[in-house]
Amino acid sequence: AQSVTQLGSHVSVSEGALVLLRCNYSSSVPPYLFWYVQYPNQGLQLLLKYTTGATLVKGINGFEAEFKKSETSFHLTKPSAHMSDAAEYFCAVSDLGPSGTYKYIFGTGTRLKVLA
Amino acid sequence: DAGVIQSPRHEVTEMGQEVTLRCKPISGHDYLFWYRQTMMRGLELLIYFNNNVPIDDSGMPEDRFSAKMPNASFSTLKIQPSEPRDSAVYFCASSLGGQGSFHTYEQYFGPGTRLTVT
């Protein structure tokens, strides 16, 4: 069965510091992986996605993520945090479910706090 | 395009009342998803449609919940009767996907409806 694990429900970083949000997945087939961001009182919006090809994926707002098959990970990083990055971040995986239809599974989210 | 539109943005109702949430997906998208978000359970997929046909409703919590998509530009999620434990933010999302390949596409979320059942 496919699943997504986000380590750390809350992460705090100082402004200008590295942002690292962790995501591990389990999948029976090569997965498609996504990171979404949710700002307060808004819906989720896509940051980046991995489908096939290059394992280092660049997204919006300076974020990037690397697909590591051997580690079953898709961690999100940003070299320098900005106050506007404070939000909740969701990792998602789409994979073939037991019924033969695709499922889109979201992780439980990581709330990022940026300290001045 | 205006994006995914949901109404109302906020709904406060009393236990036992019927609640109807509405969604207008992005024009041209052939998949529509309903999600529920709570602090305790996170983001849960309730049901999704492809070309107005329900494909997977295994996430619908009880028979009190029902969803319809009468045409490509409108969907409703109904709760009857509502209970306090239904209090949550309900999101509608839409995506492209052709025939069975929605999983490779981005989902576009609406702003959500915050439901409070007292």
Side-chain angles (χ1 to χ4, degrees), chain A residues 87-100:
Chain A
E88 189 154 19
Y89 293 80
F90 293 88
C91 182
V93 61
S94 62
D95 188 13
L96 198 61
S99 62

Side-chain angles (χ1 to χ4, degrees), chain B residues 13-61:
Chain B
T13 190
E14 292 183 348
M15 183 174 63
Q17 297 298 306
E18 177 180 295
V19 175
T20 300
L21 311 181
R22 296 173 175 81
C23 175
K24 176 179 168 55
I26 292 173
S27 177
H29 283 188
D30 43 9
Y31 282 84
L32 183 138
F33 307 83
W34 281 102
Y35 291 91
R36 178 172 67 176
Q37 185 178 41
T38 61
M39 290 291 292
M40 292 297 295
R41 301 173 68 90
L43 195 63
E44 304 172 274
L45 175 65
L46 300 177
I47 185 172
Y48 75 90
F49 295 83
N50 176 216
N51 291 325
N52 314 336
V53 176
I55 301 301
D56 186 344
D57 66 354
S58 59
M60 296 285 263

Side-chain angles (χ1 to χ4, degrees), chain B residues 47-102:
Chain B
I47 185 172
Y48 75 90
F49 295 83
N50 176 216
N51 291 325
N52 314 336
V53 176
I55 301 301
D56 186 344
D57 66 354
S58 59
M60 296 285 263
E62 303 172 31
D63 291 345
R64 299 184 295 106
F65 285 70
S66 62
K68 294 182 180 180
M69 192 166 185
N71 58 62
S73 59
F74 184 65
S75 177
T76 59
L77 178 67
K78 185 177 292 186
I79 308 172
Q80 166 63 17
S82 58
E83 296 183 3
R85 59 196 169 115
D86 301 331
S87 297
V89 181
Y90 291 81
F91 288 103
C92 175
S94 69
S95 78
L96 296 169
Q99 200 65 26
S101 60
F102 75 90

